[in-house]
Amino acid sequence: MKNLKKYLLSAAAVLALVSCSNDDDTPVANNVTLEFNNTFKNQTIVLGDAASTSATTNTSASSQVHHFSELKYVISNIRLVKDNGDEIPYNINNLDNGATVIDQSKAATLNYVLSNIPSATYKQIKFGLGVKTELNTLDQAKFPKFYAAAGANDTEMHWEWGTGYRFTKIEGFYDTDNKQLSIHTGSTIEGTAPNYTQGVDAYRDITLNLTTNAIVGSAAPKIKIKADFDKLLSGKTNTITLSSTGMGANATSSIHTAANMVLFVDNLGGNGTSDITGMFSVTAVEN
């Protein structure tokens, strides 16, 4: 009997150790990578100048042929949503650690790593296209890393008048004669210093359902996100025909008005009500 008791106690101890070991094998946090694929419909965009024969071309709903030579946008205010609905914010008030410029000309920027995400099962991702109003000032002292990255000579995501960030910057060419296409979006201000007030709020909040749950723990999932720039001119909200002259001029950033800019913003980022996905979709989750 004593031997049996010793055996049972030993077996229980082994099971307890195995159980503890299994628990310890699952880290409390792991990374999640956001992989961005910028496309025209389902074709990954290749940039090119006016004479390029290799640049990816697209035809809008109004039959305008166009291609891009430059393509950049800001992602910030990232939140992952657990399967129970709880939101896990990722450095939402810190642009240095929680915002990035996606630049089609720099492959390294197309993968953004979220570090130390709590182990859990996630069903959605939310993020901002642009920078929310309360952080949208060119604060070099508070966010030196993001300020420098956005303002670099080959990035140029600061507005020239120095009040905030560009949210998207698109350069390219349209129509068969390759007229210049230059579309920049971002929140605007009104009035004069120091009494500025909010003009157009170009920030848009995106909500995307994952194709399958992302399981963070022993695995470090990759969430693949497509940004379909066919929506720039042929969005869910607006069909836009580019023009460089006249009252409806909207093809260059020096000409298009704030009202015209909002048409592009609503196509790319959604209108915030009936469209909360804009040009974005999740194409896969790799656990």
Side-chain angles (χ1 to χ4, degrees), residues 27-171:
V28 296
N30 210 331
N31 294 343
V32 173
T33 300
L34 308 183
E35 180 183 275
F36 289 88
N37 182 24
N38 301 311
T39 70
F40 283 134
K41 299 182 178 70
N42 291 317
Q43 188 173 5
T44 298
I45 291 172
V46 175
L47 304 174
D49 60 20
S52 175
T53 58
S54 60
T56 309
T57 59
N58 191 48
T59 303
S60 72
S62 60
S63 300
Q64 284 189 310
V65 177
H66 53 283
H67 72 272
F68 297 157
S69 58
E70 184 176 353
L71 173 57
K72 304 182 179 87
Y73 54 95
V74 172
I75 297 296
S76 68
N77 197 24
I78 300 167
R79 291 138 290 156
L80 287 169
V81 182
K82 292 182 179 182
D83 55 358
N84 66 1
D86 291 345
E87 287 191 8
I88 303 299
Y90 184 73
N91 297 309
I92 60 174
N93 294 314
N94 187 332
L95 297 180
D96 274 1
N97 296 325
T100 189
V101 178
I102 305 298
D103 183 344
Q104 185 64 11
S105 70
K106 298 178 181 178
T109 71
L110 303 179
N111 286 275
Y112 186 55
V113 178
L114 314 181
S115 59
N116 294 315
I117 300 300
S119 293
T121 299
Y122 296 91
K123 66 177 182 178
Q124 278 184 332
I125 185 169
K126 298 181 179 182
F127 57 83
L129 177 59
V131 180
K132 56 187 180 179
T133 300
E134 56 267 36
L135 296 180
N136 189 33
T137 56
L138 301 183
D139 194 333
Q140 184 175 8
K142 191 172 184 180
F143 304 121
K145 179 182 172 183
F146 184 75
Y147 178 93
N153 289 337
D154 61 350
T155 307
E156 297 180 333
M157 295 297 278
H158 295 173
W159 285 120
E160 287 86 349
W161 51 84
T163 58
Y165 294 97
R166 289 188 176 102
F167 297 169
T168 62
K169 186 171 187 281
I170 301 168
E171 306 285 343

Side-chain angles (χ1 to χ4, degrees), residues 210-236:
L210 303 186
T211 53
T212 187
N213 286 342
I215 303 170
V216 179
S218 298
K222 176 182 287 187
I223 299 173
K224 296 188 173 185
I225 299 172
K226 181 173 78 170
D228 180 7
F229 280 85
D230 176 59
K231 302 293 192 298
L232 177 71
L233 304 181
S234 310
K236 302 173 189 175

